[in-house]
Amino acid sequence: MKLYLDPGHGGSDPGAQGNGFREKDLNLDIALKIRSILENNYENIDVRMSRTSDVTKSLDQRTNEANSWEADFYLSIHINSFNGSAQGYEDYIHSSLSNNSATSRYRDIIHTEVMKLNQLDDRGKKKADFHVLRETTMDAMLSENGFIDNAQNAALMKQESWRRNVAQGHANGIAKAFNLTPKEATDRGALYKVIAGSFKQRENAEKRVTDLDAQGYDSFISTSEVSGETWYRVQAGAFSSRENAETRLQEIESKGIDAFIAID
């Protein structure tokens, strides 16, 4: 399954802003987490992102790239903004589509899974004539994950654990909608590795190792190829039990350090 994952905005376009946040940063953080969860936990999933850093990319560039790649699904990640009082989650498919379309069925599944984890009010499943929904040749969906100018929603956005849960909800929905096979279902004796950050620059990974050491956690750096790019991963534990790995993950995230679980 080929997923084109689009963190909205970026570079010279910050998107919505409020409560000390820029939408482009939150979109990218959540999208990177979605990619990590899917690629590390499921078989036969190929993820391509419109951007993996803070760069400017036009809407045409995004949809043309997805179309040329012949993606199976286009998922665009956004954060909403309105009047400071509006709050909650909503998602969109193109206005021309029926409620019985394949796109609508995929969206229904993803919507349900996201709402299980995001702690947000459900503003419903909607339709619009957004460029990324109109100009894509594959099924496409856009999610609006809370309101950046709402104090309650922004308090959630500040939490690393909340952003990871939002990503997990999207990943769970993708996995369920496209019948992805979990890696642990195919691999005997799986090893659950706690990855406390994945970086393009080795010096950033080395800083994370230093930070972990100061918190009392042993860690080391390994390299990984993701979508043709080299990433420096910081591993902070490996466990035969997923429950133990989850415990370590929660410990590390409670220190304000981003982490996820990879399965070998």
Side-chain angles (χ1 to χ4, degrees):
M1 185 260 177
K2 295 166 71 173
L3 171 67
Y4 191 87
L5 185 54
D6 175 28
H9 307 285
S12 61
D13 175 13
Q17 300 178 71
N19 291 295
F21 295 111
R22 299 181 300 186
E23 181 188 357
K24 65 176 183 177
D25 301 325
L26 295 170
N27 294 343
L28 181 60
D29 185 54
I30 291 169
L32 286 169
K33 286 175 168 56
I34 294 172
R35 182 181 71 174
S36 293
I37 293 167
L38 289 172
E39 291 190 333
N40 286 295
N41 292 282
Y42 293 95
E43 300 286 352
N44 302 318
I45 174 76
D46 191 2
V47 182
R48 180 171 295 186
M49 295 181 63
S50 61
R51 63 186 183 93
T52 57
S53 60
D54 187 20
V55 297
T56 303
K57 198 162 190 177
S58 72
L59 293 176
D60 280 333
Q61 285 177 307
R62 297 169 198 242
T63 53
N64 288 344
E65 187 172 85
N67 292 340
S68 297
W69 188 47
E70 298 182 342
D72 297 306
F73 194 70
Y74 189 110
L75 177 60
S76 191
I77 302 298
H78 286 261
I79 305 291
N80 228 330
S81 177
F82 185 52
N83 61 1
S85 61
Q87 58 179 309
Y89 171 85
E90 61 194 29
D91 45 40
Y92 293 84
I93 60 174
H94 192 255
S95 51
S96 66
L97 296 171
S98 77
N99 292 334
N100 295 320
S101 65
T103 305
S104 182
R105 291 195 298 272
Y106 292 144
R107 189 269 297 275
D108 288 348
I109 293 170
I110 296 168
H111 182 101
T112 298
E113 295 302 316
V114 172
M115 287 306 306
K116 289 177 181 178
L117 297 176
N118 68 4
Q119 302 173 254
L120 295 173
D121 293 340
D122 190 346
R123 294 174 57 86
K125 295 174 279 189
K126 303 183 178 183
K127 298 179 182 180
D129 188 35
F130 298 145
H131 176 98
V132 297
L133 304 178
R134 182 183 65 249
E135 300 301 326
T136 42
T137 56
M138 71 292 302
D139 300 302
M141 169 186 152
L142 182 148
S143 67
E144 293 277 8
N145 298 277
F147 283 74
I148 203 169
D149 57 346
N150 177 270
Q152 290 175 296
N153 284 186
L156 291 172
M157 293 171 192
K158 185 178 181 180
Q159 301 172 28
E160 177 68 34
S161 59
W162 180 84
R163 300 195 300 274
R164 181 168 65 89
N165 282 339
V166 169
Q168 187 71 60
H170 283 81
N172 291 349
I174 291 289
K176 190 171 183 179
F178 290 92
N179 297 310
L180 300 181
T181 302
K183 285 186 175 180
E184 58 262 45
T186 60
D187 298 331
R188 298 287 183 180
L191 189 64
Y192 301 93
K193 297 179 178 180
V194 178
I195 307 300
S198 189
F199 305 89
K200 279 190 172 182
Q201 302 298 323
R202 186 178 182 91
E203 53 265 35
N204 291 334
E206 291 170 348
K207 183 178 184 301
R208 177 59 53 85
V209 169
T210 300
D211 292 342
L212 285 165
D213 183 64
Q215 298 284 352
Y217 296 104
D218 291 331
S219 62
F220 64 90
I221 298 171
S222 64
T223 59
S224 177
E225 290 292 325
V226 179
S227 300
E229 297 178 311
T230 299
W231 290 78
Y232 297 94
R233 285 179 164 183
V234 177
Q235 183 174 321
F239 306 86
S240 58
S241 163
R242 183 171 190 116
E243 183 179 356
N244 291 339
E246 292 282 359
T247 299
R248 174 60 57 84
L249 179 72
Q250 292 170 12
E251 289 175 357
I252 289 174
E253 290 198 330
S254 72
K255 308 294 185 181
I257 297 174
D258 185 12
F260 63 91
I261 294 174
I263 303 171
D264 269 359

